Amino acid sequence: MNYPSVFNLTWLIPLPTALAFFAIILFTNPKKRLSSNVAIGAVIIAWILSWAVAITFFLKPELTEHPFDLRVPWLPMGEITFHMGVAVDAVTAGMLFMVGFVLTMIFIYSSGYMTFPGHLDPSLNTDGLDPRYSRFFAYISLFATGMLGLVVANNLLMLFIFWEIMGLCSYLLIGFWFEKSYPDPNQITPKQAGLKAFLTTRVGDVLFMMGLIFLFIHAGTLNFQEIFGNAAFLEELATSTVTLPIFGAVSWAALISILIFWGAIGKSAQFPLHVWLPDAMEGPTPVSALIHAATMVSAGVYLIVRMAPLFAASSHSATGALPFVAFIGAFTALFAATIGVAQRDIKRVLAYSTISQLGYMFAALGIGAWVAAIIHLLVHAFFKALLFLGSGSVIHGMEHGHHHAHEHGHGHEHGHDEYFDAQDMFNMGGLLKRMPITGWTFIAGAVSLSAVPFIDAGFWSKDEILAHAWYGHPVVFWTLAVGAFLTAFYTFRQVFLTFAGQPRTEAAAHAPESVRAMTWPLVGLAFFAIFGGFVAVPKEFPVFGKIASDFMLKLMEMQGEVYPFLHVAPAEFNWTPALISMTLALSGIVLAWLVYGWKPLKAGQSDPLARWLGPVYTVLEHKYYFDELYMAAFVRPALWLADFFAHFDRGVIDRIVNWVGAFGRWLATTLRRWFDEYIVDGAVNGAGLVTQWTGSVVRLVQTGQVQTYLLILLLSVAVLLLLIPLR
């Protein structure tokens, strides 16, 4: 098939940001503004390339039946050669459309956000920018490279390599302000949060790699098209079994799928590996937006969408992987939503929202709603990037307001040296008047997240998931429906606490609107947060169905025809689940208004929800004590074990090693002395004695008289003559 020439540029998409990373660390690091310009220029080039490939694909529906797959030989392995390369299909095109744009908005926003942080020594503030400003842009450039490379990869190994690049970048960026500390010794620091994220996601990545290895052993390749286009292989994988302890006989398709899914559980922070994501908020806010929208957690959902044919094939065995995916997703969606209602930190509310929304996507994948999952992934990226960048703008304004209040002697509620939490929503209030662009764009994102009926992208994408769950999956449906109610409640609780009423602190009263580099990206993201999901408007909808484009759905439908076992189709529109979800979403918003909006909280007033829920609120506020549970069950035993082995190493192993070393030295010294004295010296001295004795004997015949020598000669001749007859 003749592919558009622009597809040959697909391999270039991750390259600009990769080159920007090396350019910044090697050349432009001393010049901060130049470094940010290099990073922004590189990501704009990547965005243009991404949209060129994505839009070209969308304009040629026939390409869905023949995905583009460019391969180059990489590693000879006996009779086979492993190929690396890039591929473009419907899922790739959709992700490229989202990732390129969202990355660009975050990079531009970062140039305004990464000014001098107040927790550092003021003597470091020489130019108004973060002291490691250039390093930050180098790191996020590499982060972007990881996600772009993962999206265009045509095989699982290449995907895994870029997957791990993102894991490294998340560690570096979450702990970017590693010197930061808090008055409360129990509060996690950025350094600890980065390490926590890295170690927690490694648990899932190890299992992911096991699944990758098993798949390669069976398939002899990791190329997506070769594996997923082979119906006979998938059938064999679904019917052949392996016996596991406790679980018994499990098909190889199910086992490999579940192992790979554990990688997604770690990366996308699903239960029980969810604990790292809320603490990842210790990083700069643009990093939070990157992790939650354009990179990192989105990669987990993308991985399962990419592996959909394998998961679908596993469902043809008695022990399929999809029910497990659906259970984890639905449980996490509700579990995280309950925690979100009791958080005070503006970013942590959004963090639990992300965990919950990702749960929606995994639940959709588990029930076979592939179209709904990928569309909600794309829409969620737009409004969650908007919300995180909006929260960063709020935090930025609060920090500036706090410093302004102290400079003018207004900061009476906090001492000059007392820590002020600029992320605590109970320190905010009335910010809509102070920060109108930030406020209204944030509300647009909140409307989309809450799935307000008909007027936003989030409603259509979430309704698609609930419509699928309505048919044959009642437990999943009602779990997600309750989660939708809680989502609307905690989202507008956040809106009312932050933007409504009067300022509750002097910092909020003096918070300025953010600079244009921060507000313009908010406006751009708000557009897609409202209108991006209209591609999911069902054809049956009487008003917008004829207007909104269902082109994305057609592409996804046709994509299902490429791979065996994978049946992809949008759900039939049904007013019953739609009305249920609408009622619950609006009820959540109304309840939030009654509690926090009707009579906005005053300065120093506690959360009304805490009074009503009592001990339940405390449990939710402490996140069901999962951190404490993991600390008691895993961290402390691991530290105790490490301490035990350290003492064992020093007290036992080191003593044995030292004794062996001392014995070796003694033995070497002893043997050296004995061997030298008795063997070496004995041989040398013995040779000398023999020579001396021989010389003393021979010396007797050396008289110096000619007649003696003549006599000896005659006697010798005589002896020889006598011997002749004897012979």
Side-chain angles (χ1 to χ4, degrees):
M1 180 177 178
N2 293 325
Y3 293 99
S5 58
V6 70
F7 281 11
N8 294 320
L9 302 178
T10 305
W11 67 275
L12 291 174
I13 291 175
L15 191 60
T17 50
L19 294 176
F21 166 74
F22 288 109
I24 293 171
I25 63 173
L26 295 176
F27 304 112
T28 69
N29 186 48
K31 299 179 180 180
K32 296 179 181 179
R33 284 299 183 188
L34 178 59
S35 296
S36 65
N37 290 337
V38 168
I40 293 171
V43 79
I44 289 175
I45 294 173
W47 172 30
I48 294 172
L49 291 172
S50 299
W51 273 28
V53 171
I55 293 173
T56 301
F57 183 91
F58 291 147
L59 294 177
K60 294 182 176 293
E62 66 274 11
L63 294 176
T64 56
E65 298 180 6
H66 304 281
F68 176 76
D69 191 2
L70 177 65
R71 310 175 194 177
V72 293
W74 178 61
L75 182 65
M77 296 184 297
E79 297 180 355
I80 63 174
T81 299
F82 197 95
H83 289 73
M84 288 291 190
V86 296
V88 179
D89 60 8
V91 179
T92 303
M95 289 294 291
L96 286 176
F97 186 87
M98 177 274 290
V99 172
F101 176 75
V102 174
L103 284 174
T104 302
M105 296 299 101
I106 294 173
F107 273 53
I108 295 172
Y109 176 95
S110 299
S111 66
Y113 183 87
M114 290 302 292
T115 54
F116 182 76
H119 67 270
L120 292 179
D121 183 356
S123 64
L124 299 175
N125 184 10
T126 57
D127 53 9
L129 301 178
D130 190 285
R132 294 187 295 273
Y133 187 86
S134 296
R135 182 188 297 185
F136 176 83
F137 278 93
Y139 286 168
I140 63 173
S141 296
L142 186 61
F143 211 167
T145 301
M147 188 61 185
L148 292 169
L150 179 145
V151 170
V152 300
N154 73 344
N155 66 86
L156 198 56
L157 178 61
M158 184 173 169
L159 182 150
F160 186 76
I161 292 171
F162 285 105
W163 177 281
E164 291 302 314
I165 288 175
M166 286 197 294
L168 168 65
C169 292
S170 67
Y171 165 73
L172 296 172
L173 286 165
I174 293 169
F176 185 76
W177 288 327
F178 54 83
E179 67 283 286
K180 188 176 181 180
S181 61
Y182 296 102
D184 183 2
N186 296 320
Q187 186 170 351
I188 194 167
T189 64
K191 179 181 176 181
Q192 295 168 332
L195 185 61
K196 182 178 182 179
F198 188 79
L199 295 178
T200 305
T201 53
R202 293 289 76 71
V203 175
D205 290 356
V206 169
L207 296 173
F208 178 12
M209 185 169 228
M210 290 174 60
L212 183 152
I213 292 171
F214 283 140
L215 183 61
F216 182 75
I217 290 172
H218 284 83
T221 180
L222 292 175
N223 181 274
F224 297 129
Q225 303 298 334
E226 291 181 357
I227 296 174
F228 301 147
N230 189 340
F233 169 72
L234 292 176
E235 181 70 29
E236 179 185 352
L237 211 61
T239 54
S240 58
T241 60
V242 57
T243 302
L244 300 176
I246 302 176
F247 299 101
V250 178
S251 72
W252 275 108
L255 176 61
I256 294 172
S257 297
I258 290 174
L259 289 173
I260 291 174
F261 179 55
W262 271 103
I265 289 176
K267 192 70 79 178
S268 294
Q270 296 295 282
F271 179 86
L273 301 180
H274 65 283
V275 293
W276 70 269
L277 190 57
D279 292 325
M281 301 305 97
E282 292 299 322
T285 301
V287 175
S288 303
L290 280 171
I291 290 175
H292 290 257
T295 62
M296 198 70 178
V297 297
S298 299
V301 179
Y302 173 78
L303 171 66
I304 307 306
V305 173
R306 175 58 65 206
M307 305 299 293
L310 177 64
F311 280 78
S314 75
S315 64
H316 285 247
S317 61
T319 54
L322 291 179
F324 178 65
V325 176
F327 167 76
I328 292 293
F331 177 81
T332 305
L334 181 58
F335 168 80
T338 58
I339 299 176
V341 303
Q343 300 303 304
R344 298 173 64 98
D345 188 301
I346 188 172
K347 288 172 64 178
R348 274 180 166 77
V349 174
L350 296 176
Y352 281 104
S353 168
T354 297
I355 297 172
S356 179
Q357 295 303 305
L358 291 169
Y360 272 85
M361 300 172 207
F362 283 116
L365 294 172
I367 61 176
W370 309 101
V371 171
I374 190 65
I375 290 179
H376 195 54
L377 171 64
L378 300 178
V379 172
H380 172 266
F382 290 119
F383 65 68
K384 192 50 63 71
L386 170 62
L387 289 169
F388 265 107
L389 296 186
S391 70
S393 181
V394 168
I395 295 167
H396 215 258
M398 290 289 292
E399 289 176 343
H400 280 282
H402 179 63
H403 292 309
H404 179 273
H406 277 297
E407 287 177 0
H408 294 81
H410 299 302
H412 301 299
E413 72 272 18
H414 294 280
H416 187 71
D417 296 325
E418 187 178 347
Y419 172 73
F420 175 73
D421 190 354
Q423 298 181 194
D424 189 342
M425 295 183 295
F426 288 82
N427 289 334
M428 301 175 187
L431 290 180
L432 187 61
K433 296 178 181 178
R434 299 289 307 175
M435 310 177 71
I437 299 177
T438 298
W440 286 113
T441 54
F442 191 96
I443 292 171
V447 165
S448 190
L449 172 58
S450 302
V452 174
F454 308 127
I455 64 172
D456 60 272
F459 169 75
W460 298 111
S461 60
K462 191 177 291 186
D463 179 72
E464 188 77 18
I465 295 175
L466 293 173
H468 270 276
W470 179 256
Y471 297 101
H473 305 279
V475 175
V476 173
F477 174 82
W478 286 108
T479 302
L480 298 183
V482 175
F485 166 77
L486 294 174
T487 299
F489 174 77
Y490 67 65
T491 301
F492 274 85
R493 169 183 180 264
Q494 185 179 40
V495 169
F496 294 132
L497 284 174
T498 304
F499 297 103
Q502 298 299 318
R504 289 184 288 276
T505 59
E506 290 294 332
H510 294 86
E513 181 61 277
S514 298
V515 296
R516 290 183 179 180
M518 296 171 63
T519 55
W520 280 110
L522 298 180
V523 174
L525 289 167
F527 174 82
F528 284 100
I530 295 297
F531 299 106
F534 276 85
V535 294
V537 176
K539 292 178 290 186
E540 296 84 357
F541 198 74
V543 179
F544 295 103
K546 297 179 181 180
I547 303 174
S549 170
D550 62 346
F551 190 57
M552 184 76 173
L553 295 179
K554 290 180 180 177
L555 287 177
M556 294 299 172
E557 248 182 292
M558 296 178 67
Q559 188 69 18
E561 299 174 2
V562 178
Y563 303 117
F565 303 105
L566 185 60
H567 305 291
V568 182
E572 294 292 328
F573 181 77
N574 189 316
W575 274 107
T576 303
L579 289 174
I580 292 173
S581 66
M582 284 188 279
T583 302
L584 290 173
L586 293 175
S587 299
I589 296 172
V590 170
L591 181 60
W593 179 78
L594 290 173
V595 178
Y596 300 99
W598 184 26
K599 294 181 179 180
L601 300 187
K602 305 297 182 182
Q605 187 175 347
S606 62
D607 190 346
L609 208 61
R611 299 194 302 270
W612 299 339
L613 296 181
V616 175
Y617 184 90
T618 304
V619 172
L620 298 179
E621 189 177 25
H622 288 83
K623 302 160 287 188
Y624 293 100
Y625 295 96
F626 262 89
D627 285 329
E628 290 80 359
L629 175 62
Y630 283 0
M631 181 66 72
F634 300 107
V635 179
R636 286 201 182 97
L639 293 174
W640 177 87
L641 199 61
D643 188 61
F644 168 78
F645 280 116
H647 283 87
F648 184 80
D649 180 63
R650 290 191 292 267
V652 179
I653 302 298
D654 283 357
R655 290 186 179 182
I656 294 175
V657 171
N658 293 337
W659 181 85
V660 171
F663 175 76
R665 288 192 299 271
W666 173 84
L667 189 62
T669 302
T670 304
L671 288 177
R672 182 185 63 185
R673 185 183 299 115
W674 181 86
F675 189 82
D676 183 62
E677 291 179 359
Y678 294 99
I679 303 299
V680 178
D681 288 353
V684 173
N685 294 335
L689 291 173
V690 170
T691 303
Q692 187 178 7
W693 177 83
T694 304
S696 63
V697 173
V698 175
R699 186 170 62 245
L700 297 176
V701 299
Q702 300 295 325
T703 62
Q705 298 178 352
V706 176
Q707 56 270 30
T708 302
Y709 298 152
L710 182 60
L711 177 62
I712 293 173
L713 177 62
L714 292 175
L715 290 174
S716 300
V717 172
V719 171
L720 292 173
L721 292 174
L722 289 173
L723 291 174
I724 291 174
L726 294 176
R727 188 186 64 175

